[in-house]
């Protein structure tokens, strides 16, 4: 019998590394923005959040390049047009969110009037985005960019929830191989 088609190892690894990174970033971002913490702790959390966030951004760029050059496995013939369109729509939204959330975060630090340098994992100096640091009136712009970053991040949770529900529906109700073809343990 022919093995059921699966995503390749690189696509699966990138999917789960990025998903874990995003969940970690959501939790860390929420904690550091919501609670009063000692200044040194807060500073360390911001630096870690920036480091992991930029790592996620680089992994997303790699993933998009990989996706553009490696076709995903075909769906079973009994998949309806609606199912294919819903999956494609949700996946496009998720790719857009994966790019825009860290880019917006990078924009936050680039318009910050405090000009705090970003040093990834305390080792690699990371530049600001071009053009933004030179804007006049950065103190007025920064809260807007912070809101864009926060709304994108929390809003994406809704799409991720639908995505996870769809995967679980396939696994438990339709009992097809959709979850298995992205699962790392098969
Ligand atoms: C996967 C990527 C990321 C996710 C999911 C994420 C998520 C979040 C969340 C949920 C918050 C808290 C928002 C709030 O409650 O106000 C936050 C805050 C923040 N993030 Fe990110 N972030 C990501 C990447 C980045 C990157 C790459 C940077 C910078 C290089 C960054 C910089 C910041 C900063 C400076 C804040 C604090 C803003 C404030 O005080 O409201 N983030 N992030
Ligand atoms: C932040 C979290 C997540 C993001 C951003 C995300 C994003 C994506 C994207 C963009 C794809 C499409 C891959 C492609 O064909 O190019 C995908 C596929 C998939 N994801 Fe996720 N995912 C996340 C979390 C999860 C979780 C928690 C599960 C498990 C329940 C999951 C299960 C799947 C499955 C089964 C597929 C294959 C779908 C198919 O073959 O049509 N994902 N994911």
């Amino acid at each position: 019998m022919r093995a059921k088609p699966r995503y390749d190892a690189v696509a699966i690894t990138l999917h789960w590394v990025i998903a874990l990174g995003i969940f970690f970033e959501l939790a860390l971002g929420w904690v550091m923005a919501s609670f009063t913490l000692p200044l040194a702790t807060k500073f360390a959390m911001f630096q870690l959040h920036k480091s992991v966030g930029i790592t996620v951004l680089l992994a997303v760029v790699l993933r998009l390049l990989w996706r553009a050059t490696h076709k995903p496995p075909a769906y079973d013939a009994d998949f309806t047009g609606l199912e294919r369109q819903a999956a494609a729509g949700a996946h496009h939204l998720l790719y857009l969110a994966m790019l825009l959330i860290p880019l917006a975060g990078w924009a936050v630090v680039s318009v910050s009037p405090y000009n705090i340098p970003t040093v990834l994992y305390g080792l690699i100096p990371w530049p600001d985005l071009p053009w933004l640091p030179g804007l006049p009136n950065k103190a007025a712009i920064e809260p807007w960019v912070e809101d864009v970053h926060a709304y994108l991040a929390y809003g994406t949770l809704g799409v991720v929830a639908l995505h996870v529900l769809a995967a679980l529906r396939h696994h438990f109700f339709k009992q097809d191989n959709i979850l298995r073809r992205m699962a790392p343990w098969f």
Side-chain angles (χ1 to χ4, degrees), residues 7 15-16 63 67 75 91 94-95 163-164 178 181:
Y7 280 89
H15 175 272
W16 291 107
R63 183 170 176 189
R67 177 66 166 79
Y75 287 121
H91 293 165
L94 287 168
Y95 278 125
H163 176 65
V164 171
I178 287 294
R181 65 200 215 139

Side-chain angles (χ1 to χ4, degrees), residues 7 15-16 18-20 22-23 26 63 67 72-73 75 79 87 90-92 94-95 98 156 160 163-165 167-168 178-183:
Y7 280 89
H15 175 272
W16 291 107
I18 291 168
L20 280 178
I22 290 177
F23 289 131
L26 280 166
R63 183 170 176 189
R67 177 66 166 79
Y75 287 121
F79 265 61
H91 293 165
H92 279 106
L94 287 168
Y95 278 125
M98 281 186 268
T156 297
V160 171
H163 176 65
V164 171
L165 284 176
L168 296 179
I178 287 294
L179 184 57
R180 274 191 292 265
R181 65 200 215 139
M182 189 52 107

Side-chain angles (χ1 to χ4, degrees), residues 25 29 32-33 46 49-50 53-54 101-102 105-106 146 149-150 153-154:
E25 284 291 271
M32 72 190 203
F46 267 67
H49 183 81
K50 292 193 285 182
I54 294 294
I101 298 169
W106 192 4
E146 276 180 12
H149 182 53
Y154 295 127

Side-chain angles (χ1 to χ4, degrees), residues 5-173:
R6 281 170 54 67
Y7 280 89
D8 60 70
V10 175
I12 294 175
T13 306
L14 286 169
H15 175 272
W16 291 107
V17 166
I18 291 168
L20 280 178
I22 290 177
F23 289 131
F24 176 80
E25 284 291 271
L26 280 166
L28 180 60
W30 176 70
V31 170
M32 72 190 203
S34 311
F35 297 96
T36 313
L37 299 159
L39 204 59
T41 311
K42 199 156 183 156
F43 184 80
M45 283 179 146
F46 267 67
Q47 289 300 333
L48 181 62
H49 183 81
K50 292 193 285 182
S51 303
V52 176
I54 294 294
T55 308
V56 168
L57 178 61
L58 296 176
V60 170
V61 172
L62 199 66
R63 183 170 176 189
L64 284 170
L65 290 174
W66 190 263
R67 177 66 166 79
T69 47
H70 297 78
K71 272 186 158 222
Y75 287 121
D76 286 349
D78 65 347
F79 265 61
T80 64
L82 187 67
E83 278 178 316
R84 287 162 202 265
Q85 279 169 13
H91 293 165
H92 279 106
L93 270 182
L94 287 168
Y95 278 125
L96 196 65
M98 281 186 268
L99 267 183
L100 290 184
I101 298 169
L103 278 177
W106 192 4
V108 174
V109 294
S110 306
V111 293
S112 168
Y114 301 114
N115 298 319
I116 298 171
T118 300
V119 184
L120 304 183
Y121 306 102
L123 292 170
I124 308 159
W126 187 258
D128 283 334
L129 279 166
W131 181 66
L132 294 180
L135 285 178
N137 212 3
K138 288 196 289 187
I141 301 169
E142 192 199 16
W144 289 87
V145 188
E146 276 180 12
D147 279 357
V148 171
H149 182 53
Y151 283 124
L152 279 173
Y154 295 127
T156 297
L157 267 180
V159 188
V160 171
L162 287 178
H163 176 65
V164 171
L165 284 176
L168 296 179
R169 169 179 166 265
H170 278 284
H171 193 68
F172 290 108
F173 291 98

